[in-house]
Amino acid sequence: MSDSNLAIVTGAFGYTGRYITSNLLSRSRRVRTLTEHPESSSPLAGQVEIAPFNFDQPDLLTKSLEGADCVFNTYWIRFPYKGITHEKAAANLKILIDCARRAGVRRFVQISITNASLGSPLPYFKGKGEVEEALIASGLSYAILRPAVIFGPEDILLNNIAWLLRKFPAFAIPGSGKYRLRPIFVEDLAALALEAGEADNNIIVDAVGPETYTFDQLVRFIAGAIGSKALLFHLSPRLALLLSKVVGGMVGDVILTADEITGLTADLLLTTGPATAKTRFSDWLNQHKDSIGVSYASELARRRKP
């Protein structure tokens, strides 16, 4: 039997997981996290129960899920790292879904991606599609939320665009720059997740904000807001990737991957349905123009952080 007050959040100390967890705690919900960093230094560590993922020990994982009313899953990877590929991440989540079913969890909320598809040639989008299909077939009550670009104080992509615009005299836009995206505020995504967790009907929702930008427009808007004088120019996706690797070597990080550029330029971060979140990126940026991009946000540093 589930405890209607107990929620499981995978990666509660990460970016989106942190906001979902804070929102749950503000509602006096009991939260247990599954995490790769049980000894986390996060301020939330003292407020939640902590358990390891235990993907390789399904019985232990099932026990960690017992009594939970809802699982909020934010676990995924941007790119392969230390032997964890997108295929492995998808396999891990299939185990998590099966363990949630065995544990009697009422509801499973999956944070996916716009245009996730089993038929995608890109491992990121294909893996997300596999997880969606496994969840739909599981028999669990489910909600699948599909955000594109998530913005907020701890964002990596948009923060690092601003950092590059502050740091360098020129900025390369891959390809035409006419491909589009619909950013969603991280707090809006957390609110959508909680609302979805309380519902019973099976749903798939594009989690997108009210504004649509071409990538060219987005970069120029950020540059104008922070007062950057960097020269903006267009470069072939292949050369843009090579340039990102050079800068990545300077900061010890992966700034962009080939699959990310391919997905972006193929308009996979766009959906044409109605907005499901209210916060406008333009309003948020104007309020945070003095802080965005002041320091570099490292993906690899976050992965290594306890």
Side-chain angles (χ1 to χ4, degrees), residues 102-298:
R102 290 167 54 192
V105 171
R106 179 189 66 85
R107 183 78 161 167
F108 197 107
V109 178
Q110 165 68 7
I111 306 300
S112 189
I113 187 72
T114 51
N115 297 298
S117 171
L118 279 172
S120 176
L122 302 177
Y124 190 109
F125 291 85
K126 180 179 180 180
K128 288 279 194 178
E130 288 181 4
V131 175
E132 290 187 5
E133 290 296 318
L135 180 55
I136 292 169
S138 70
L140 287 166
S141 171
Y142 66 84
I144 296 170
L145 304 183
R146 291 175 163 179
V149 173
I150 305 169
F151 67 89
E154 300 88 3
D155 160 63
I156 286 183
L157 175 62
L158 301 183
N159 178 85
N160 288 347
I161 289 175
W163 181 81
L164 290 165
L165 288 167
R166 290 182 187 274
K167 187 77 173 178
F168 295 93
F171 183 96
I173 296 173
S176 69
K178 293 180 180 179
Y179 38 89
R180 297 154 293 172
L181 45 84
R182 296 181 69 178
I184 182 171
F185 186 37
V186 65
E187 291 188 10
D188 288 347
L189 178 59
L192 282 175
L194 263 69
E195 180 181 348
E198 293 172 355
D200 294 315
N201 57 315
N202 296 331
I203 55 172
I204 300 176
V205 177
D206 286 328
V208 291
E211 295 179 319
T212 299
Y213 294 89
T214 67
F215 190 74
D216 191 281
Q217 289 171 336
L218 183 71
V219 173
R220 292 180 187 278
F221 181 48
I222 294 173
I226 66 176
S228 171
K229 302 300 182 184
L231 172 67
L232 306 183
F233 65 100
H234 295 262
L235 200 59
S236 73
R238 182 178 65 84
L239 290 178
L241 177 63
L242 289 175
L243 184 58
S244 77
K245 288 182 177 180
V246 172
V247 179
M250 295 168 56
V251 296
D253 194 25
V254 177
I255 292 180
L256 276 177
T257 69
D259 283 355
E260 286 174 333
I261 290 181
T262 300
L264 182 63
T265 56
D267 257 350
L268 293 182
L269 297 184
L270 174 72
T271 179
T272 57
T276 50
K278 63 182 180 180
T279 304
R280 299 167 66 89
F281 175 68
S282 56
D283 293 337
W284 182 88
L285 179 60
N286 285 329
Q287 294 170 5
H288 296 82
K289 60 186 178 183
D290 294 332
S291 58
I292 188 172
V294 170
S295 58
Y296 181 79
S298 172

